[in-house]
Amino acid sequence: MGKYILRRFWQSIITVLIVLFVMFMLLRLMPKENYFTRDDYINMTEEDRTAYLRNLGVLDNPLVQFVRFLRGFVTGDLGRSITVYPKTPISEILKEKIPYSLWFGLVSVLLSVILGFLMGIGMANNKDKLGDQLGTMYVVAVRAIPSLVYLFLIQMWITHLFNLPMVFYEDEPASWILPAISLSLSGIAWYAIWLRRFMVDEENKDYIKFAIAKGLPRNYIMKRHVLRNALVPLVQYLPSQILLTIAGSLIIESIYSIPGMGGLLVYAIRQQDNTLVQALVCIYSILGVFGVFLGDILMAIVDPRIKLTSAKIEREVTA
Amino acid sequence: MKTNNTNIKMKLDTSPKNYGDILIEAKDVEVIFNLRGKKLKALRGAGLVLRSGETLTIVGESGSGKSVLSKTLIGMLDKNGTITNGSILYRGVDLARISREEDWLTIRGKRIAMIFQDPMTALNPLKKIGEQIREVIVMHCGLDARASRTAALEMLEKVGITDPERRYEQYPHEFSGGMRQRVVIATAIACNPEILICDEPTTALDVTIQAQILELIKKLQKDMGLSVLFITHDLGVVAKMADKIAVMYAGQVVEEGSVEEIFYDSRHPYTWALLASLPQLGVKGKELFAIKGTPPSLFKEIQGDAFAPRNPYALQVDFYHEPPLFEISPTHRARTWLLDANAPKVEPPEIVVKLREHLKKTTGR
Ligand SMILES: Nc1ncnc2c1ncn2[C@@H]1O[C@H](COP(=O)(O)OP(=O)(O)O)[C@@H](O)[C@H]1O
Ligand SMILES: [Mg+2]
């Protein structure tokens, strides 16, 4: 087990380094004009511009820049935003924005897991009956209808119905409810449909037939064999999903005016804010890879077969 | 019977005396499966008698209904199947009429246990071996955590697993196929059932392991006084295990009798054909005999004797009327018109006669 964790750890580190390197080098190909705000660029002389770039370090050998970037990253210095929040240190931007996305995200993961699991269990237990069909309808609806449509409807109608605020106010807890729920709708559907599927898969396996022949009651079999085993392929995704809540949700944060991380990367790319882009990609890829790493360890804990065999884990679910 | 049987109060008569030595008596069992609206009659009036302490083997080609018949005994027919006729008496209860799962829970695993073909998939891969045995003991014997653990360890020892303390904590993937089948057997007999149904328990194992598992089942049967219903399509296995044999064809038992009666004095042409196709006892230099043709489709109503189209001894009447079970001795019965008083006298094929001699020599039975 220890060996397995160690090997997966080094693999993760190498993966992150490769991702960062490629991303960093690609960004070096961007035009140098991107390092200026528009006003600065217009107001500076050619010499000023060169001096500014030299000062930023972007004229150095890219490899040197990469090492400097990594060193800065480790010490918490992410550079300054250029165009999105001109001249503001990125670490400050993150410090301000992450908590919103993180809290909403964590609450939504919690809601999704609890409600999604309950729904999935209910659907598997009533396979092909009304409950299952209603559940499937919900899942299909959430998946098929563009989220903007139902999220907008929720915002319009539910706020009206229960007299809730239309947008997010930090000091008004009632305004937190709808964003949290909206954020969970697709997560609930995801957990429900996969848990149902894995439970149905397990139920059809031979060992369940033998468990029935042993004279164990159905409830016991569903709980101790079917559910227990069906959870295994799902726990793997939990760490990634928790960690990546940091990235926030573009749609929900914008319709409820939550000043979180949602969409920050998109704006940064659109406004060609190189330093912000590289900081965000760096953070997200570390969290992503680290989430998969934690998932694999969790998986090895709940599935005894993995300890002995190689690190090959079937990735059946695609998030 | 699907009719108003929900209110039957199930009373299992557990006193030993009342039923002589007959434990299970199944009569005229008919099972129909519903396959996307089409009806498949898997059992067409099958019957068997299982006596206390003996091993009854069911043989027959694949698809003849062996598994279906054995599943009716523990209420484990697939969801699309129903028992539409007949009775299965066990200690004063007609198992064919039990419809509530709760009622089955007092029988299944506790009094009638069953093991299946593939030991590689019969155990939960994520649960410790010991726990999988223990959960049955807790459920049926009502022992507490400690006592049930001890009992589970004893069971492991009983089925020949060395170092049970260590093995108890291991998972199925740490066991070989043969060892897993031992665990499966330990689980099945953990609560001292009186009947053990084995549905081709060694088919998936290689030959040496197969022999060990057969020995184990025999030994347990003796030690625990089990009655065994043993399903196989391998007559070599039958020769090793059986006291009684039931030969199945197309959802019916076409001949039943003691081992001696079936091997040395069989009367049904299908039994002859089976005997002639026995590979282990094949006569050197002679081609292995295979039964020509295919079994009838069970989707259609079968007229006459189901074996008639493949039967070189078929009489005219076989194609129109189903033969009844003719009694040859109190334990020996066969379903063929050849036993009718008006039928012409026929001898079994030469190969079967030779096989009998060969069998006598090799198995000493
Ligand atoms: N769930 C089912 N649905 C439809 N047909 C079935 C089902 N189970 C068994 N059968 C059919 O019943 C017949 C007997 O099957 P089975 O008892 O499994 O044969 P075997 O003698 O090989 O054990 C076969 O024709 C099989 O196709
Ligand atoms: Mg079978």
Side-chain angles (χ1 to χ4, degrees):
Chain A
M1 185 72 172
K3 233 171 159 182
Y4 170 67
I5 293 177
L6 209 66
R7 195 179 64 220
R8 287 291 291 104
F9 180 74
W10 288 121
Q11 280 173 357
S12 307
I13 297 276
I14 292 169
T15 312
V16 167
L17 283 177
I18 293 174
V19 169
L20 295 191
F21 183 77
V22 170
M23 177 267 306
F24 194 86
M25 291 307 152
L26 285 175
L27 282 176
R28 291 319 102 193
L29 299 177
M30 299 282 278
K32 295 277 182 295
E33 287 77 18
N34 288 355
Y35 292 100
F36 300 88
T37 62
R38 191 195 238 190
D39 293 343
D40 279 353
Y41 191 80
I42 295 168
N43 296 335
M44 281 183 185
T45 63
E46 191 58 43
E47 291 93 68
D48 284 348
R49 289 181 195 148
T50 319
Y52 171 78
L53 288 177
R54 182 162 299 126
N55 196 26
L56 267 181
V58 295
L59 298 181
D60 298 343
N61 180 333
L63 283 175
V64 175
Q65 289 185 53
F66 184 60
V67 172
R68 188 161 52 216
F69 164 70
L70 286 184
R71 200 178 293 143
F73 191 83
V74 172
T75 57
D77 174 15
L78 302 175
R80 283 164 192 269
S81 167
I82 299 160
T83 45
V84 179
Y85 298 96
K87 304 207 170 71
T88 321
I90 292 172
S91 53
E92 256 167 49
I93 302 173
L94 297 183
K95 221 179 280 164
E96 200 180 314
K97 286 185 161 300
I98 284 180
Y100 294 106
S101 295
L102 193 62
W103 284 116
F104 273 113
L106 290 181
V107 168
S108 123
V109 169
L110 199 69
L111 277 179
S112 307
V113 168
I114 294 174
L115 296 179
F117 278 5
L118 286 177
M119 191 168 149
I121 293 167
M123 287 165 77
N125 271 327
N126 298 294
K127 187 172 164 266
D128 297 334
K129 296 195 198 128
L130 186 67
D132 186 22
Q133 283 159 356
L134 287 178
T136 308
M137 261 166 62
Y138 166 75
V139 173
V140 170
V142 167
R143 287 269 159 134
I145 302 173
S147 56
L148 213 48
V149 174
Y150 61 78
L151 291 175
F152 184 66
L153 290 180
I154 288 176
Q155 196 186 23
M156 298 318 287
W157 283 345
I158 313 268
T159 47
H160 198 70
L161 222 61
F162 295 96
N163 202 16
L164 291 170
M166 283 274 267
V167 290
F168 169 79
Y169 299 106
E170 226 176 318
D171 46 5
E172 200 182 332
S175 74
W176 307 348
I177 299 173
L178 282 186
I181 291 177
S182 304
L183 206 50
S184 313
L185 289 178
S186 74
I188 292 171
W190 190 87
Y191 279 110
I193 203 68
W194 282 110
L195 186 61
R196 175 199 180 277
R197 185 234 150 134
F198 288 134
M199 284 182 74
V200 171
D201 280 359
E202 289 302 316
E203 248 188 298
N204 288 323
K205 288 192 176 159
D206 278 357
Y207 74 85
I208 295 298
K209 205 169 75 178
F210 185 54
I212 295 171
K214 282 154 83 173
L216 302 174
R218 183 180 145 88
N219 274 345
Y220 177 92
I221 293 177
M222 286 308 269
K223 213 159 61 194
R224 297 299 183 81
H225 289 272
V226 174
L227 178 60
R228 158 76 175 76
N229 289 14
L231 288 178
V232 167
L234 285 174
V235 299
Q236 197 186 358
Y237 298 91
L238 217 50
S240 309
Q241 289 192 335
I242 290 173
L243 290 177
L244 288 176
T245 55
I246 277 188
S249 155
L250 169 62
I251 293 177
I252 284 162
E253 288 182 8
S254 56
I255 57 181
Y256 288 100
S257 315
I258 300 169
M261 297 281 286
L264 190 56
L265 182 58
V266 177
Y267 300 137
I269 291 172
R270 199 182 296 150
Q271 304 202 22
Q272 308 193 337
D273 189 338
N274 274 1
T275 42
L276 188 53
V277 168
Q278 76 195 18
L280 289 176
V281 171
C282 190
I283 291 169
Y284 293 164
S285 50
I286 289 175
L287 290 178
V289 172
F290 195 57
V292 171
F293 168 65
L294 287 181
D296 285 354
I297 291 176
L298 258 188
M299 188 81 169
I301 290 171
V302 294
D303 189 339
R305 286 168 300 184
I306 291 173
K307 285 170 209 169
L308 293 183
T309 55
S310 75
K312 267 238 166 275
I313 296 169
E314 304 264 298
R315 303 195 146 266
E316 221 178 329
V317 193
T318 36
Chain B
M1 285 264 159
K2 239 207 147 161
T3 47
N4 58 24
N5 51 359
T6 36
N7 297 322
I8 292 178
K9 243 291 192 253
M10 203 187 66
K11 274 213 201 79
L12 217 54
D13 184 352
T14 50
S15 59
K17 47 188 189 296
N18 290 355
Y19 301 95
D21 65 344
I22 293 184
L23 269 182
I24 286 194
E25 183 168 15
K27 269 194 200 144
D28 296 327
V29 181
E30 190 180 85
V31 167
I32 292 182
F33 287 107
N34 205 324
L35 265 179
R36 280 175 239 101
K38 288 215 294 188
K39 289 195 184 329
L40 182 147
K41 203 184 268 187
L43 294 185
R44 307 183 302 122
L48 56 79
V49 173
L50 179 65
R51 286 168 200 276
S52 175
E54 74 175 15
T55 299
L56 169 65
T57 60
I58 305 182
V59 283
E61 283 169 287
S62 121
S64 55
K66 306 182 295 291
S67 298
V68 172
L69 180 56
S70 63
K71 281 186 203 160
T72 61
L73 305 184
I74 57 168
M76 279 188 63
L77 276 185
D78 296 335
K79 281 200 189 81
N80 62 337
T82 34
I83 302 178
T84 47
N85 202 359
S87 62
I88 304 167
L89 288 177
Y90 167 69
R91 294 193 169 278
V93 170
D94 185 355
L95 300 181
R97 293 170 69 91
I98 297 181
S99 60
R100 298 193 315 160
E101 271 299 295
E102 299 98 282
D103 292 339
W104 274 116
L105 296 184
T106 61
I107 297 178
R108 212 187 265 155
K110 189 175 185 186
R111 309 194 134 264
I112 307 180
M114 181 158 181
I115 65 175
F116 298 96
Q117 179 169 337
D118 191 356
M120 301 311 276
T121 55
L123 296 166
N124 185 335
L126 304 182
K127 221 173 159 78
K128 285 178 185 166
I129 291 292
E131 292 303 313
Q132 301 195 42
I133 303 177
R134 204 177 69 85
E135 65 185 357
V136 184
I137 299 173
V138 170
M139 195 61 66
H140 294 312
C141 314
L143 296 183
D144 63 22
R146 193 120 165 239
S148 56
R149 193 191 142 91
T150 315
L153 287 168
E154 270 166 28
M155 290 322 299
L156 282 174
E157 196 143 25
K158 202 167 192 164
V159 297
I161 288 174
T162 49
D163 200 359
E165 286 277 354
R166 185 175 61 90
R167 293 301 225 168
Y168 184 101
E169 305 292 334
Q170 291 186 325
Y171 292 91
H173 69 271
E174 298 170 74
F175 286 66
S176 67
M179 281 297 158
R180 285 192 214 188
Q181 196 61 301
R182 283 173 196 266
V183 173
V184 168
I185 292 171
T187 316
I189 60 168
C191 284
N192 240 321
E194 57 184 346
I195 299 170
L196 177 65
I197 303 173
C198 308
D199 190 348
E200 312 212 19
T202 57
T203 309
L205 303 173
D206 71 47
V207 186
T208 47
I209 309 286
Q210 170 171 337
Q212 292 171 8
I213 297 292
L214 294 180
E215 279 312 310
L216 175 66
I217 293 173
K218 268 171 114 165
K219 177 178 158 288
L220 291 171
Q221 174 178 32
K222 237 175 73 198
D223 295 352
M224 304 176 67
L226 285 169
S227 310
V228 176
L229 183 67
F230 197 102
I231 295 160
T232 176
H233 57 248
D234 182 345
L235 277 172
V237 173
V238 174
K240 276 205 193 100
M241 301 297 291
D243 298 311
K244 301 277 173 56
I245 300 174
V247 179
M248 284 194 75
Y249 185 75
Q252 287 180 332
V253 172
V254 294
E255 183 161 9
E256 59 190 317
S258 67
V259 182
E260 286 73 23
E261 284 164 335
I262 300 296
F263 275 118
Y264 306 139
D265 188 27
S266 51
R267 303 298 179 91
H268 198 290
Y270 179 67
T271 312
W272 296 341
L274 270 188
L275 285 171
S277 64
L278 196 58
Q280 292 96 326
L281 304 173
V283 184
K284 274 208 188 79
K286 277 229 164 154
E287 211 177 306
L288 197 65
F289 180 88
I291 307 172
K292 290 188 184 67
T294 49
S297 162
L298 297 170
F299 283 112
K300 294 187 208 110
E301 198 61 45
I302 292 169
Q303 204 191 6
D305 182 352
F307 189 54
R310 304 168 75 187
N311 182 4
Y313 301 92
L315 307 171
Q316 202 64 39
V317 62
D318 277 321
F319 292 93
Y320 302 103
H321 300 285
E322 182 169 82
L325 268 173
F326 289 96
E327 192 164 306
I328 301 138
S329 82
T331 51
H332 190 187
R333 293 190 289 179
R335 200 185 270 278
T336 166
W337 283 119
L338 290 178
L339 293 170
D340 190 66
N342 298 326
K345 193 110 188 77
V346 299
E347 286 297 318
E350 187 200 1
I351 185 168
V352 172
V353 179
K354 276 204 179 135
L355 270 171
R356 289 172 179 170
E357 292 158 14
H358 184 76
L359 246 170
K360 247 187 191 127
K361 263 187 278 166
T362 50
T363 64
R365 284 181 91 159

